[in-house]
Amino acid sequence: MKKKTKYHHGNLADALLRAGVKEARVNGPKNLGVTHLANQVHVSPMAVYRHFPNGESLKAGISQQAREELARYMLKALGQETDVKKRFLTIGRSYIEFGLSEPGLFSVAFLDCDSLPNDEDDPSSRSIFHDAILDLSNEGLIEHSDIEQVAAFAWSLVHGYVTLTSAESLSPAMPKPEAVNELLERGWLAITKFRK
Amino acid sequence: MKKKTKYHHGNLADALLRAGVKEARVNGPKNLGVTHLANQVHVSPMAVYRHFPNGESLKAGISQQAREELARYMLKALGQETDVKKRFLTIGRSYIEFGLSEPGLFSVAFLDCDSLPNDEDDPSSRSIFHDAILDLSNEGLIEHSDIEQVAAFAWSLVHGYVTLTSAESLSPAMPKPEAVNELLERGWLAITKFRK
DNA sequence: TGTACATCAGTGAACGCGCGTTCACTGATGTAC
DNA sequence: TGTACATCAGTGAACGCGCGTTCACTGATGTAC
């Protein structure tokens, strides 16, 4: 963090992304422009273009960072838990926890921007959901053919809950804390007990 | 629609809101600023301030319009249907239909802006959900004490589905058309069969 | 019914701002010989 | 090891733009008498 005023910054691309994530944490999607972030990093706006073709791609990079942070949070919450149901509920719960405790990051994560296709081995919340649902299928708790449907159901449920609960102005009565457990148990019921 | 160039516009507030809704339909939340909308209505920007204290409140008004349009769509889909389950599924389905067919309006509807508290008798999607769930309770299909939980569950599910499916860049594999029925049936299961 | 006048609902020019992006440039770095 | 030079990674000034908002203003409308 020392203010070494060297002419060459070192790793400006990373610094810009980190500044963007920091900004996103506080202010959400506002202020993720070229000029503002360049100022944050004490660099002239033009320097940004050495590392990103344009402002949009910088924003996309920040969004990607936010998605990875979400995924890391979920993985950390999962830990070494082996029980398949607990794993599944933890995934949902951690997704919601992250969304509610980091609303700015969460909204930036799902910003609609040109997103670089995910690096194969980067963790993504989508792949975490998917893997867990594969496990459910392997355990015989759901039909193999239901995998996609279950993924859509589970992801929709938790994503919608976060979105609506964060938009304070709109959902005066989204029940907050203990409610999450029941929400997840309901989801679990719908996922494991549904037969066409 | 005739271009009567009278000095006094007649009903500029309405015209601005309608121009905003039109813009929202096409471009979502972008371009809902004072200057742009004033241009659309062929009026000087200053004229806007005769009707709205500032740009933010104009945007809030447009958002409100969008929410009402969603609610009207849902009510129309409900029609005179009396079967309580069909009513409930129709509410979910029409919410999703609206969201997917009018992504711009939908996103503006849930824009996070200073929203005027809803007029009591304006239809709102929230109150439609709530009424239908009251019916479920009256029919004995759910516990009375579960009303809030069920509302959160149902709304989260459909809202999340729309959000994720609309964000094309992020959810390459959200299954689209027939899938909705199964999603709703799953939801119905979780709502009516869950016991604490 | 006619006129005076307050009020209402616009105009049009201007402001300062931050934005994304382009330009020609220069200081620092690394490599070839 | 020393030097010449290409390349890399920044600077700094400038551009045109649309934004929200303020100003002093004027044309149209409606009401009192």
Side-chain angles (χ1 to χ4, degrees):
Chain A
M1 265 322 193
K2 44 187 59 174
K3 190 77 174 313
K4 284 209 176 178
T5 22
K6 31 182 203 168
Y7 194 92
H8 282 59
H9 180 283
N11 202 341
L12 183 52
D14 270 16
L16 285 168
L17 288 176
R18 283 196 289 108
V21 167
K22 192 174 170 186
E23 198 70 46
R25 222 180 277 280
V26 181
N27 290 317
K30 309 182 211 297
N31 305 125
L32 298 185
V34 171
T35 307
H36 181 72
L37 291 178
N39 291 342
Q40 293 295 309
V41 182
H42 306 291
V43 142
S44 71
M46 185 51 201
V48 173
Y49 292 91
R50 295 277 169 211
H51 303 271
F52 298 91
N54 52 46
E56 191 61 25
S57 73
L58 170 55
K59 211 176 297 186
I62 296 165
S63 175
Q64 172 70 17
Q65 293 288 317
R67 259 169 283 143
E68 289 175 17
E69 189 150 329
L70 164 59
R72 279 192 299 270
Y73 183 90
M74 292 168 75
L75 285 176
K76 193 176 163 195
L78 266 178
Q80 302 303 318
E81 178 62 56
T82 53
D83 179 76
V84 67
K85 177 178 176 182
K86 280 189 187 160
R87 283 184 68 83
F88 194 72
L89 294 189
T90 298
I91 286 174
R93 185 177 1 258
S94 59
Y95 191 95
I96 291 174
E97 280 172 7
F98 183 90
L100 296 186
S101 66
E102 295 280 12
L105 267 189
F106 186 84
S107 74
V108 170
F110 293 96
L111 213 53
D112 213 355
C113 51
D114 320 342
S115 67
L116 340 162
N118 222 332
D119 270 346
E120 279 305 327
D121 45 12
D122 275 343
S124 83
S125 56
R126 178 166 166 70
S127 69
I128 295 172
F129 270 107
H130 214 269
D131 290 352
I133 291 165
L134 272 178
D135 289 346
L136 295 185
S137 165
N138 291 335
E139 298 260 339
L141 286 165
I142 66 169
E143 303 287 336
H144 186 75
S145 62
D146 278 356
I147 287 182
E148 292 304 324
Q149 297 282 358
V150 167
F153 182 90
W155 198 5
S156 294
L157 182 63
V158 293
H159 191 87
Y161 183 81
V162 170
T163 308
L164 290 172
T165 305
S166 297
E168 331 123 45
S169 58
L170 287 169
S171 50
M174 286 298 274
K176 264 260 192 94
E178 335 69 39
V180 173
N181 279 328
E182 188 174 323
L183 190 89
L184 294 171
E185 287 288 351
R186 275 185 200 277
W188 177 255
L189 174 72
I191 283 165
T192 54
K193 291 291 185 290
F194 182 76
R195 293 294 177 270
K196 282 180 200 166
Chain B
M1 265 321 193
K2 46 187 55 176
K3 190 75 174 316
K4 283 210 179 176
T5 22
K6 30 183 203 168
Y7 193 92
H8 282 60
H9 181 284
N11 202 341
L12 183 52
D14 270 16
L16 285 167
L17 289 176
R18 284 196 287 109
V21 168
K22 192 173 170 186
E23 198 70 46
R25 220 180 279 279
V26 180
N27 290 317
K30 309 181 210 297
N31 305 125
L32 298 185
V34 171
T35 308
H36 180 72
L37 290 177
N39 291 343
Q40 294 295 309
V41 181
H42 305 291
V43 144
S44 73
M46 185 51 201
V48 173
Y49 293 91
R50 294 280 169 207
H51 302 272
F52 298 90
N54 53 44
E56 192 61 25
S57 73
L58 170 56
K59 211 177 296 189
I62 296 166
S63 176
Q64 171 70 17
Q65 292 288 317
R67 261 170 283 142
E68 289 175 17
E69 189 151 330
L70 164 59
R72 278 192 299 269
Y73 182 90
M74 292 167 76
L75 285 177
K76 193 175 163 197
L78 267 179
Q80 302 304 318
E81 179 62 57
T82 54
D83 179 77
V84 68
K85 177 177 177 182
K86 280 190 188 162
R87 282 184 70 83
F88 194 72
L89 294 189
T90 297
I91 286 173
R93 185 174 5 255
S94 58
Y95 191 94
I96 291 175
E97 280 171 6
F98 184 89
L100 296 187
S101 65
E102 296 278 12
L105 266 190
F106 186 84
S107 75
V108 169
F110 292 96
L111 214 52
D112 214 354
C113 52
D114 320 340
S115 67
L116 340 162
N118 222 332
D119 270 347
E120 280 304 327
D121 45 12
D122 275 343
S124 83
S125 56
R126 177 167 166 70
S127 69
I128 295 172
F129 271 106
H130 214 268
D131 290 351
I133 292 165
L134 272 179
D135 288 346
L136 295 185
S137 165
N138 290 336
E139 298 261 339
L141 286 165
I142 66 169
E143 304 286 335
H144 185 74
S145 61
D146 278 356
I147 287 182
E148 292 304 325
Q149 297 281 359
V150 167
F153 182 89
W155 198 6
S156 294
L157 182 63
V158 293
H159 192 87
Y161 183 81
V162 170
T163 308
L164 290 173
T165 306
S166 297
E168 332 124 42
S169 58
L170 288 169
S171 51
M174 288 297 273
K176 266 264 191 88
E178 334 70 39
V180 173
N181 278 328
E182 189 173 323
L183 190 89
L184 294 171
E185 287 289 351
R186 275 186 199 277
W188 177 255
L189 174 73
I191 285 166
T192 55
K193 291 290 184 289
F194 181 75
R195 292 295 176 269
K196 280 179 200 165

